[in-house]
Amino acid sequence: QPGTPLLSRIRMITYFVDATTDPTSPRLMRQIGSGAPMAVAFDLEAFALNYDIADGVLNPAFVEMNAADLAPGGSCGAVACGADQIRKVNVSMALRSRSRERSTGFHRNALTSQVALRSLAFVDRY
């Protein structure tokens, strides 16, 4: 009904790499709210996040948001890149099997994905 307040539950989900429990086998962890973290992937060999930005001029892709990008003259040109310009997140990770096969070695797999951030992905200034 019009004028009725709408309530909605928000769940905070945090992903992080745990390389301290077993440094030889880093794990991708997931934590929901203040709950206990749970492993969702073992033996993580590589993990990278970078971003596609809409700055209205260059619209650079695969920006790492490191110190160089956050300063003028980085990936965004004369102005510094800012977190408020992020429109998409690129996720890449490489994993290997826990055990080594005698004849073939470790089995490896890679995942690459792009996530458009809700309410931020549409920009009509390109």
Side-chain angles (χ1 to χ4, degrees):
Q1 294 197 0
T4 304
L6 178 66
L7 296 176
S8 141
R9 179 177 159 181
I10 297 174
R11 293 173 52 182
M12 182 167 162
I13 301 175
T14 304
Y15 288 89
F16 62 94
V17 176
D18 174 16
T20 57
T21 303
D22 182 0
T24 62
S25 177
R27 304 178 300 171
L28 180 65
M29 306 294 286
R30 180 173 108 166
Q31 182 175 6
I32 300 174
S34 61
M38 298 184 335
V40 293
F42 295 94
D43 297 303
L44 194 64
E45 290 189 315
F47 182 78
L49 290 175
N50 52 56
Y51 310 94
D52 291 359
I53 338 192
D55 66 358
V57 180
L58 299 174
N59 302 320
F62 302 105
V63 174
E64 295 180 8
M65 289 299 202
N66 54 25
D69 292 330
L70 296 173
S75 296
C76 294
V79 295
C81 298
D84 60 331
Q85 299 168 324
I86 295 173
R87 298 300 180 255
K88 294 180 184 170
V89 179
N90 305 298
V91 181
S92 300
M93 68 175 118
L95 304 119
R96 67 170 170 82
S97 61
R98 296 201 92 181
S99 59
R100 173 181 266 170
E101 294 289 325
R102 184 171 289 176
S103 60
T104 59
F106 290 108
H107 294 278
R108 289 184 161 78
N109 203 353
L111 167 78
T112 302
S113 184
Q114 186 177 72
V115 180
L117 302 175
R118 186 176 179 173
S119 301
L120 296 179
F122 178 76
V123 175
D124 62 354
R125 292 175 284 128
Y126 286 99

